[in-house]
Amino acid sequence: MAQKDNILIIGAGLCGSLLALRLAQRGYQITLVEKRPDLRKVTQDAGRSINLALSDRGLKGLRLAGVEEEAKKLCIPMNGRMIHDKEGNTFLSPYSGREGEYINSISRPGLNMLLLDAIDKMPNVTTYFNLGCEEVDLENASTSFKNYETGKTETYSGDILIGTDGAGSAVRRNMFEHKKFLFSFSQQWLTHGYKELEIPAGEDGGFKTYKNALHIWPRGEDMLIALPNLDGSFTVTLFLPYANSDYCFDNLITAEKVEEYFKKEFPDALELIPNLAEEYFNNPTGPLGTIKCSPWHCYGKSLLMGDAAHAIVPFYGQGMNASFEDVVVFDEVLEKFEGNWEQVFSEYEKARKIDTDAIADLAVDNFHEMKEHTASPLFQQKRKLEIAFETQLPKEYFSKYSLVTFNEAIPYSLAMKRGRAQDKAILNLLDDGKLKDDMSLEEKLQLVIKETNDILHDD
Ligand code: FAD
């Protein structure tokens, strides 16, 4: 059998590692190059989303590469959102009324290490660390890297190259600056940034608050969330405006002010975070933005995938999941058009961009839903009804959250269209008092379906 092409993959994060593994399984010769040191040998910086919500689309990608079961060993199921009010009262809002529909908290470095270990077992992958991509010859799939250990420049090339170098992609910057074809690019920042904190494990190594939920403290303009880790701790993320608010990153500049803010807004969380001020001032504040660009490929030689092609805000917990789904879609397209990279790249973008644009928009919607609406009575009434539909009529109703998170057979773009119409339908019907108490659940569902179809028809 003829030797398959050489593929240069730039960025060994979550997407690049899974992609390298899958393409190696397909028999390609892979050169995988990563800017940072090998995270299995060097502890990486804290303060960068230590754990992530992994759900069905991501699991499908891991399954394709045969590592799903290993990854599941790193997972903590989260069955719903545990909402915390200002008085410290809590209630659990399930993610779904169906059995077995939950999301998982997983360690980012743990998952990345698992993928790198699987790659190490493949004889046709060579991995390099400490090499940062700088200049890319897009027409010839060749790249110069700065070696951070020696300070020297090294060049690697392949028959094609794929940039999986994340939201700040150097490969994408090279496409932007190339000027030989029209490259569209947009970057939209939220006015909010994020900062990570920690609820440590209890003295007995146990969890200090309920383990199997994604905890949320929604406060209108700002929000705190916490996801569990296997060691009994929780990674806490504060989402806060940078400026123009009573409490914002620009004016939370003393330990007293930070304590005052937490005491007022998140008193029960404050009790669980012993090193609040220290962590607040030591951990970086990260920006949150959406990046869209097109085309994702050029010359049948260079392609962008994962966050490099479509970075999104984290509020649907789908950035990694979408990047893993990229690998699934790419694999399907490759199966059909293998041998013609130009066609593979353009068919892949044609199949995929509509869906990554959709999840980008849904993630921004969910930002508002999580910080403002999860605490509102109308929203809670809607969720209660949806959970009742999903529990008692599980084959007939799927909420927007379920369509996006638990139905990987439905593309994001369709999940968005149907889900948004359903949301509007239920909120309209509740607001108009049309879902009467004496109606059966079936009758209520029929009304919701009719209203949804009317909305879809009008759009
Ligand atoms: P990355 O994981 O960023 O990997 C890019 C890799 O490229 C890195 O290893 C980097 O070091 C390397 N690199 C960068 N530049 C260069 C260069 N010049 N040369 C060589 N290598 C380079 N997603 C979810 O699905 N669920 C969640 O719950 C979730 N929570 C999140 C919370 C926060 C606060 C944030 C910011 C994101 C979250 N995400 C979540 C999104 C998720 O982190 C990303 O979508 C995912 O990491 C994308 O994978 P990637 O491989 O494309 O990029």
Side-chain angles (χ1 to χ4, degrees), residues 71-109:
K72 279 184 169 169
K73 292 182 192 155
L74 304 177
C75 287
I76 299 179
M78 298 184 289
N79 299 310
R81 295 164 169 164
M82 183 67 82
I83 316 280
H84 297 243
D85 73 13
K86 277 195 184 189
E87 280 68 51
N89 303 311
T90 57
F91 73 91
L92 184 70
S93 170
Y95 280 124
S96 164
R98 272 175 292 273
E99 284 279 309
E101 290 193 345
Y102 54 83
I103 61 175
N104 301 282
S105 178
I106 191 163
S107 146
R108 178 196 289 274

Side-chain angles (χ1 to χ4, degrees), residues 418 425 429 444-456:
R418 174 104 208 147
L429 291 167
K444 287 181 182 169
L445 182 59
Q446 286 320 308
L447 212 55
V448 169
I449 291 173
K450 185 183 174 309
E451 180 84 5
T452 303
N453 290 339
D454 288 350
I455 291 169
L456 285 169

